[in-house]
Amino acid sequence: MGFARACSVALVGVEGVVVEVQADLEPGVAAFTLVGLPDKSLVESRDRVRAAVVNSGAEWPQKKLTVGLSPASVPKSGSGFDLAVACAVLGAAERIDPAMIADVVMIGELGLDGRVRPVRGVLPAVLAAAEAGYEQVVVPEQTAGEAALVPGISVLGVRSLRQLIAVLCDEPVPEEPVEGQGRPDAMLAGLMIPGTGLGTGLAPAAALGDGHLPDLADVAGQPRPRQALEVAAAGGHHLLFSGPPGAGKTMLAERLSSVLPPLTRQESLEVTAVHSVAGILPPGEPLVSRAPYCAPHHSATMQSLVGGGNGMPRPGAVSLAHRGVLFLDEAPEFSGKALDALRQPLESGHVVVARAAGVVRLPARFLMVLAANPCPCGRHSLTGAGCECPPSVVRRYQARLSGPLLDRVDLRVEVEPVDRADHLGHGGRGESTAVVAARVRDARARAAERLVGTPWTTNSEVPGHELRTRLLVAPGALAAAERDLERGILTARGLDRVLRVAWTVADLRGADRPDASDVAVALELRTGIQRGVPMGTGQR
């Protein structure tokens, strides 16, 4: 009787569980049994592995073969177990030394000819292996760069099973020819989910193609929405743009991700792990360094926004926008069920999706931007524009954004129509993205220095209790906010969010703590009621 084991990783959401792949050979009728809660794609690995082993020049054992995936209680899906199953079988058949593969994590799909094809989710799988104490991983050659992002891990990228057998047996490694030179690599098809190419709302439209990023200087006029955009980027505050069509709401939202500072190393790993599992990680770019931007269509379902799908839940738009921007254009046109599902992730920074196949916790700390028209025709706020929507229709349209959802939005700005002078450029171009982004970086650095030693890095993450007890504003600065709370204009959550925005305004102008004018600016940005204070975010 022969026995061998190798290791692989089962992904549950964006978290990995190390799976021990055990192969046992016994005398009897030749058969191949796979146990351990495999799904359909994993059950089919029996035929893939057998053909790959034979076509790689190894002999398939003609005995009763049982392959177990432990722990057996964890559901396992995907084709990434093929490489570990093949090596475990070869170890049990004594083609390779079982001791050489006992503590090696192997991830990859096998083709019938023995080539190793890449799979999605390599980064979170290698992260799980590193956390479990493993030091060696074998991955497809195309994803070796992604696996190498994890520190303390020795990565071996292989092109075929034949090469891996030679390495494990200390034999000369054969050269595998590269097929289809000059054409796109067909092996990379396994890294992308069909339908996640261009045009899925995963990047601003102007950023696709030649790499040109949208610039804030392209936006004509709109000084107040621009300043609100800067405050939102500096503190991570959610934002609502309301106004008639053509005023520039979408243009402003598309430029927000360029204003955000580059991701830190830890944030980049988090975002890359989500994008790798979702199948939207661009081939050849193993690490996402810029804040992502996701703009789903208003016909998106609740499952596509928060995550779900058949079987084990998959990341939704809120997770794809993790550490970046989630832009909901024509927000009142989204279904009420989908919009209300955003309430919990807006507060907690993650989403828990429960399905029959299991419960998955997905990261979802994003900056939400809503854009809404004042009425179905969009002309309600325009003088002499001929809006024919009855008042009841206007109220019903605006009520599609529920009160609990709007209570979680820190900044609510009215975007006015662009006048002729601004549109023709007579008023001069506004500040560029680079200038605004520099101020945002400085403000975030002040906030990070103030919050050192805490689990928070931006003002939007600080709990209200900390704002009221440890991070105190100037004496008497909250008088206007307290009056609004007594009058019912603000809720208790709204008062905390006004405090967070006030700290961000103070950071942007380089102040040690907010004063009454900073609180007044925050109140005006939240309620829309004029407070008689300048809206500039620089030095006063």
Side-chain angles (χ1 to χ4, degrees):
M1 181 179 73
F3 177 83
R5 64 185 179 91
C7 295
S8 191
V9 178
L11 289 177
V12 182
V14 294
E15 299 176 355
V17 178
V18 176
V19 173
E20 188 175 278
V21 181
Q22 304 168 344
D24 177 70
L25 282 175
E26 297 178 356
V29 179
F32 189 168
T33 305
L34 183 64
V35 297
L37 285 185
D39 72 342
K40 181 65 175 176
S41 62
L42 187 48
V43 169
E44 293 176 348
S45 69
R46 295 178 300 185
D47 301 318
R48 291 195 302 268
V49 169
R50 182 187 292 110
V53 168
V54 173
N55 291 327
S56 297
E59 184 179 352
W60 184 259
Q62 298 300 318
K63 295 181 180 180
K64 181 181 179 182
L65 171 62
T66 303
V67 174
L69 308 176
S70 180
S73 59
V74 177
K76 302 160 189 77
S77 61
S79 56
F81 295 88
D82 291 2
L83 202 57
V85 171
C87 288
V89 172
L90 292 174
E94 299 182 352
R95 172 62 178 88
I96 58 180
D97 185 3
M100 294 291 294
I101 61 173
D103 295 321
V104 179
V105 175
M106 302 180 182
I107 305 164
E109 175 187 334
L110 285 176
L112 299 184
D113 56 355
R115 289 184 300 170
V116 181
R117 304 181 64 94
V119 294
R120 298 185 297 270
V122 168
L123 177 59
V126 177
L127 284 171
E131 292 175 359
Y134 292 88
E135 299 178 351
Q136 295 179 315
V137 297
V138 178
V139 298
E141 186 180 51
Q142 292 88 342
T143 57
E146 184 180 343
L149 296 174
V150 182
I153 288 288
S154 175
V155 179
L156 173 62
V158 294
R159 192 175 297 172
S160 67
L161 179 61
R162 188 181 301 106
Q163 287 185 339
L164 180 57
I165 294 173
V167 171
L168 294 174
C169 297
D170 198 17
E171 300 172 355
V173 179
E175 287 292 333
E176 295 290 345
V178 180
E179 299 181 1
Q181 291 187 356
R183 301 196 307 268
D185 191 355
M187 299 284 282
L188 297 176
L191 297 177
M192 301 291 290
I193 295 178
T196 56
L198 307 183
T200 53
L202 297 174
L208 303 174
D210 60 357
H212 171 70
L213 293 175
D215 198 317
L216 263 177
D218 300 333
V219 180
Q222 306 298 357
R224 180 162 300 190
R226 289 170 59 98
Q227 291 157 357
L229 196 78
E230 182 176 342
V231 173
H237 306 289
H238 306 304
L239 177 61
L240 167 63
F241 285 136
S242 57
K249 303 186 293 294
T250 302
M251 288 185 67
L252 287 163
E254 287 179 344
R255 283 147 180 79
L256 179 55
S257 60
S258 301
V259 176
L260 294 175
L263 301 177
T264 64
R265 176 74 177 185
Q266 180 61 34
E267 292 171 346
S268 295
L269 290 177
E270 294 175 7
V271 175
T272 304
V274 175
H275 288 199
S276 178
V277 171
I280 62 173
L281 193 64
E285 299 180 18
L287 187 66
V288 179
S289 59
R290 299 186 60 85
Y293 173 93
C294 187
H297 191 258
H298 64 257
S299 61
T301 62
M302 184 186 72
Q303 289 77 11
S304 67
L305 282 181
V306 301
N310 296 327
M312 192 61 67
R314 303 186 62 83
V318 297
S319 297
L320 301 181
H322 180 58
R323 302 294 181 184
V325 178
L326 176 67
F327 176 45
L328 303 183
D329 199 5
E330 305 293 346
E333 300 294 342
F334 282 79
S335 71
K337 186 178 180 180
L339 289 175
D340 289 338
L342 300 177
R343 298 182 192 176
Q344 289 93 335
L346 285 174
E347 287 287 331
S348 62
H350 63 267
V351 58
V352 178
V353 183
R355 295 291 186 269
V359 179
V360 172
R361 184 180 186 271
L362 301 169
R365 187 166 295 282
F366 56 90
L367 198 165
M368 182 179 70
V369 180
L370 303 174
N373 293 326
C375 67
C377 74
R379 300 190 297 270
H380 178 68
S381 60
L382 299 178
T383 304
C387 174
E388 298 179 355
C389 300
S392 59
V393 173
V394 175
R395 287 195 302 269
R396 189 159 51 247
Y397 185 81
Q398 296 177 352
R400 292 182 182 179
L401 300 178
S402 65
L405 177 65
L406 291 179
D407 198 36
R408 291 164 167 82
V409 177
D410 303 336
L411 312 173
R412 309 172 190 174
V413 182
E414 189 75 25
V415 182
E416 301 293 340
V418 181
D419 57 28
R420 183 179 62 179
D422 288 332
H423 189 62
L424 297 179
H426 298 328
R429 287 168 61 88
E431 290 180 319
S432 66
T433 296
V435 174
V436 177
R439 286 202 300 267
V440 169
R441 284 195 301 269
D442 293 341
R444 288 215 174 191
R446 294 188 188 95
E449 182 180 356
R450 180 174 63 251
L451 299 174
V452 66
T454 69
W456 317 296
T457 56
T458 59
N459 293 323
S460 63
E461 302 172 4
V462 182
H465 180 265
E466 291 287 324
L467 294 170
R468 295 188 298 270
T469 57
R470 191 170 69 87
L471 302 175
L472 300 177
V473 300
L478 285 178
E482 291 170 352
R483 286 195 300 269
D484 284 358
L485 179 65
E486 293 176 354
R487 296 170 181 170
I489 300 176
L490 286 179
T491 63
R493 181 194 286 120
L495 179 59
D496 290 343
R497 292 186 174 273
V498 166
L499 279 174
R500 295 169 184 164
V501 175
W503 274 104
T504 301
V505 175
D507 288 336
L508 282 169
R509 67 182 184 89
D512 294 333
R513 58 178 178 173
D515 56 18
S517 60
D518 295 324
V519 175
V521 171
L523 283 171
E524 183 170 336
L525 288 173
R526 181 173 180 84
T527 63
I529 302 174
Q530 298 293 328
R531 306 282 171 164
V533 293
M535 287 293 292
T537 51
Q539 292 287 347
R540 298 198 186 108

